[in-house]
Amino acid sequence: MEDIIEKNNENKNESVNHQNEDKETIEKFMREALIQAEEAYDACEVPVGCVFVLDNEIIGKGRNRTNETKNGTRHAELEAIDMILKNHSPEVLKKCTLYVTVEPCIMCAAALRLMEIKKVYYGCSNERFGGCGSIYHLHNESYEIESGYLKEEAIMILRKFYIRENKNAPVPKKKSNRILKTEIM
Amino acid sequence: MSLKEIEYEPLLPIEFTRPLQTIDICIASVEPKKTNDILKILSSKLSMVDMNIGHLKRIKKSEKHEKLLDVIINTSADVSKTEKDIKELFKNNNINEDAIKDFRLCQASKYPAYTKSQFNEWKNVWPMIFKDHDSQHNLKLSEEDLEKAKKWLNIALEKAEKDKSEVPNNQFNNCTIIVDPSTSKVLAIETDNRIKCNHPLKHSVMECIKTISELHTKKDNLDSENENEQSNKRRKLNTEIDSSQPYLCTNYDLYTIKEPCIMCCMALVHSRIGRVFYLKKNENDGGLESIHQIHIQPELNHHFQVYKIKVKQ
């Protein structure tokens, strides 16, 4: 208990210094998130990675594990939150900053709101599922967001992945165009 | 609390609510006199239904060329290749290739209209066929479905009640059940574990999804134990799709007391759930009727049918 109080006091002082992280710090942690994304890529998972930072220190990291776990909800953010909650109380998230390579999806954006995260930095936007600006604005009135850090790297690794195709997804519908072309010949 | 007589209200599915989305179609202009012959060949080689545009009319009066008709050829963007192929086809069928001209792209509605107002708007892009879908679309639950909903929701209520006595300070008291409707087998039944586990994300829907994934991984491990080592290795290197294996929560039914929150609704999209049945509105954070309608969000890649179950007054 004393530990927690002591930590709280520390954080109060720290958080003043960290109100606005400088570009160098942001990119440093974003690189760490990219390392997680690369790990996901090597494991044939959609390459998204993240780190949660408390007082300039990484307290949790995660990457996509949806194929391995056969659970479509095991995104980087939820993996990292589970890791953090093994050693911390949920309140710790209120003082954390998240660095994630891709805009959180609607599920994760809502989860971050439930955890009352302080701030989110993300690389590229997520046009298909994004919950922090692309499809919904779930961060509004809850947490701050800033985007575009190491965006090119985040996009490149996704592109590299999608060229390889997701073998676990169900068979895509045949494109009618393709059948047609052969019919005419 | 136990449900005796219930009724239901289907939340409208995506087909009835989606806004106009267009696709490119390749059209050409033809002489009205030659139309019959041309249509005969086109419909045998390039059927509208096969191209997933059975909801469009094949032919309309041309606005660009007086006295000519515009006809849909195909949905390919490669106009010059289409033109070449069609002229070749006409030659082989003894039709003068001058009978068709000006191959070009044009827009049309991608989806059939399910409501009169969709139809009235969308047909202006390209003429459409309208079928009254209200009666055809399977929004109605059978007596059997309704009986099952009552049964599963009663089990969920019972389980939640029991959980209340075990975790009395649980303001999130809830229970969710996932059933495979093809076998009527319960695959997961979970309570809300936020308080119990001191974890704000352990909602009953998330817990059920996790239980199912564990079921599927366990089954996978058992299956591969029976194979020899070599095929096992191959399987790991190249996880090929086996359509007999269940994919996430595809076609499963979910029964829950409270309308799932936004996080849980999106988790259900990611999990490809089949149908969702619930009893109570979640005013603050509901993702199906209260705050957002995630099950019919047009931009998302999966949609599901939702039924709100009510006690008959």
Side-chain angles (χ1 to χ4, degrees), chain B residues 119-169:
Chain B
F119 175 68
N120 287 333
E121 184 196 342
W122 300 358
K123 72 178 193 317
N124 297 325
V125 185
W126 180 276
M128 292 175 74
I129 297 158
F130 183 66
K131 286 188 201 139
D132 191 0
H133 280 278
D134 281 340
S135 52
Q136 287 179 34
H137 195 89
N138 198 15
L139 291 180
K140 287 202 177 98
L141 287 177
S142 65
E143 277 301 314
E144 199 192 339
D145 271 338
L146 207 58
E147 270 309 305
K148 276 184 185 163
K150 191 166 84 181
K151 176 180 145 193
W152 298 125
L153 285 169
N154 271 327
I155 293 175
L157 286 166
E158 221 172 274
K159 176 104 179 165
E161 198 60 38
K162 190 165 161 259
D163 190 60
K164 206 183 263 172
S165 59
E166 285 164 12
V167 195
N169 60 339

Side-chain angles (χ1 to χ4, degrees), chain B residues 7-20:
Chain B
E7 55 190 5
Y8 68 95
E9 175 198 327
L11 302 197
L12 276 183
I14 182 79
E15 288 83 359
F16 290 79
T17 55
R18 63 161 50 109
L20 171 69

Side-chain angles (χ1 to χ4, degrees), chain A residues 68-73 75 78 81-82 85 90 105-107 110-111 113-115 128-129 135-136 138 167-171 176-177 180-181 183-185, chain B residues 45-46 50-52 75 85 198-201 203 206 209-210 213 216-217 220 238-239 241 247-248 262-263 266-267 270-271 285 292 294 297 299-301:
Chain A
E68 179 195 321
T69 56
K70 293 186 181 280
N71 182 342
T73 73
H75 290 185
L78 300 195
I81 290 172
D82 280 356
L85 293 189
C105 81
I106 292 168
M107 172 186 72
R113 194 166 70 178
L114 291 169
M115 299 305 303
R128 290 176 67 209
F129 302 122
I135 294 180
Y136 294 141
L138 299 175
K167 291 201 179 86
N168 282 328
V171 192
S176 44
N177 290 357
L180 293 170
K181 273 180 191 159
E183 278 227 12
I184 281 191
M185 294 305 240
Chain B
K45 294 282 177 190
L46 293 157
D50 289 350
M51 293 188 284
N52 290 326
T75 52
D85 290 342
N198 193 22
H199 190 313
L201 306 182
H203 301 191
M206 300 299 278
I209 292 171
K210 187 168 171 239
S213 72
H216 290 170
T217 30
D220 214 40
N238 186 10
T239 336
I241 352 133
Y247 181 70
L248 307 174
I262 291 167
M263 171 183 70
M266 191 59 196
H270 287 317
S271 302
D285 196 20
H292 289 293
I294 291 175
Q297 180 62 39
E299 285 104 324
L300 297 178
N301 61 346

Side-chain angles (χ1 to χ4, degrees), chain B residues 284-295:
Chain B
N284 298 327
D285 196 20
L288 302 177
E289 63 163 323
S290 302
I291 310 292
H292 289 293
Q293 285 75 51
I294 291 175
H295 64 296

Side-chain angles (χ1 to χ4, degrees), chain B residues 2 32 55 63 72 104 170 180 199 204 237 247 258 268 298:
Chain B
S2 160
H55 55 284
E63 283 156 22
I72 296 179
R104 61 201 189 271
N170 185 4
D180 179 352
H199 190 313
S204 55
L237 283 173
Y247 181 70
K258 201 169 165 189
L268 291 171

Side-chain angles (χ1 to χ4, degrees), chain A residues 74-111:
Chain A
R74 295 318 292 168
H75 290 185
E77 297 92 324
L78 300 195
E79 284 280 314
I81 290 172
D82 280 356
M83 176 184 165
I84 294 167
L85 293 189
K86 279 189 181 138
N87 305 310
H88 298 81
S89 84
E91 282 70 37
V92 78
L93 269 297
K94 294 180 190 172
K95 292 175 251 130
C96 280
T97 302
L98 166 67
Y99 297 83
V100 56
T101 55
V102 182
E103 175 191 351
C105 81
I106 292 168
M107 172 186 72
C108 293

